[in-house]
Amino acid sequence: MFAIIQAVGWPIWPLILASVIAVALIIERSITLRRSRIVPPGLLDKVLNDLRQIGPSGEMVERVAAHSPLGRVLAAGLRNVHSPREVMKESIEETGRAVVHDLERFLTTLGTIAAISPLMGLLGTIIGMIDIFASQGVSGANPAQLAQGISIALYTTGLGLIIAIPAMIFWRHFRALIDSFVIDMEQQAIKLVEVAHGERRA
C-alpha cells in the first residue's frame, strides 16, 4: 500500500480520504439503521394498551418519545389524542418529516462520494497522462517519469472505481431501508389515529 502511495503521489490522497469517510459512514449507518432500533416490534401494541388503561399521561408520552424514532412519531399523536383527527394526523406528519430527516443523515455525503470518486480517478488519469507526455523529451523518453505517469493513471482510476461501487451499493441499500421504515411508521401511525378516534379496534 505504501509503495502504491509512493508511486502515485499526491493524486491518491483525496481518494484515500474519500475511502476513509465512506467506510466510516457505512459503518455508522449500518449500526444506526437497524430495524429493531428504528421501528421496534410491539411498541404500538404497548402504546395502545397503555392508552386504554391509563390514558395519554405526560410521563407515558415522554417515555414513548424517548424510546425510538417510531416512538417519536407515536408520541406526537399521543400529545394531540384529544384533538380532531386532522390535527392529530398533521402533528404526526410534522414529526415524521423530522424523523426521516434524521434517518437520512450522512446519506448525501455517501452519495456524493459515490458520484465523485470516479471523477477523482479520472482527474488522476489526466494527471498521469500529462506526466507521460512530459516524459517525452528531445533526447527520448524519461523512463522514470513515464512509469510514474502510468502508475498515476492506472492506480487512481482503479481506486476511484473501488471506492465508488461499494459506496453506491450501500447508498441505495440505505435509501431502500429508510423507505421501508417510513412505510412501516406510516402504517402504525395511521392505526394509532384510527384506534384513538374509535374508527377501528386494535
Side-chain angles (χ1 to χ4, degrees):
M1 187 65 188
F2 289 114
I4 293 173
I5 294 173
Q6 208 167 23
V8 177
W10 71 265
I12 202 172
W13 286 109
L15 289 165
I16 291 175
L17 178 62
S19 68
V20 171
I21 295 172
V23 169
L25 294 181
I26 288 169
I27 292 172
E28 191 276 338
R29 290 290 87 188
S30 297
I31 294 171
T32 302
L33 297 177
R34 297 193 312 270
R35 184 167 292 276
S36 60
R37 183 182 180 277
I38 306 300
V39 283
L43 177 61
L44 177 61
D45 293 336
K46 188 174 187 308
V47 167
L48 293 176
N49 188 49
D50 289 347
L51 187 61
R52 290 191 203 93
Q53 292 184 355
I54 60 175
S57 64
E59 184 272 331
M60 176 258 210
V61 171
E62 293 305 316
R63 186 178 71 249
V64 171
H67 187 273
S68 61
L70 172 61
R72 284 176 59 191
V73 173
L74 299 180
L78 292 173
R79 290 189 184 98
N80 296 277
V81 72
H82 297 304
S83 301
R85 187 183 195 278
E86 288 305 314
V87 173
M88 186 178 180
K89 189 177 177 183
E90 284 176 11
S91 66
I92 288 174
E93 288 174 352
E94 288 175 6
T95 303
R97 284 192 288 270
V99 168
V100 171
H101 182 267
D102 290 344
L103 295 180
E104 291 177 342
R105 187 174 54 172
F106 304 135
L107 287 193
T108 300
T109 304
L110 185 60
T112 301
I113 290 173
I116 68 171
S117 292
L119 297 178
M120 289 194 292
L122 180 61
L123 175 62
T125 302
I126 293 171
I127 293 170
M129 295 299 292
I130 292 171
D131 274 0
I132 291 171
F133 285 115
S135 71
Q136 307 297 320
V138 178
S139 58
N142 181 341
Q145 193 173 2
L146 179 64
Q148 183 181 15
I150 293 171
S151 295
I152 293 172
L154 294 179
Y155 282 129
T156 53
T157 302
L159 187 57
L161 293 174
I162 288 171
I163 296 168
I165 292 169
M168 179 61 72
I169 290 171
F170 276 100
W171 179 79
R172 292 182 69 87
H173 167 69
F174 292 140
R175 291 293 314 170
L177 199 59
I178 290 171
D179 288 344
S180 71
F181 290 155
V182 170
I183 292 171
D184 202 350
M185 286 191 284
E186 283 179 352
Q187 291 174 339
Q188 297 198 46
I190 289 171
K191 184 177 179 181
L192 174 65
V193 172
E194 291 177 347
V195 170
H197 287 269
E199 297 172 8
R200 65 181 283 183
R201 296 181 180 179

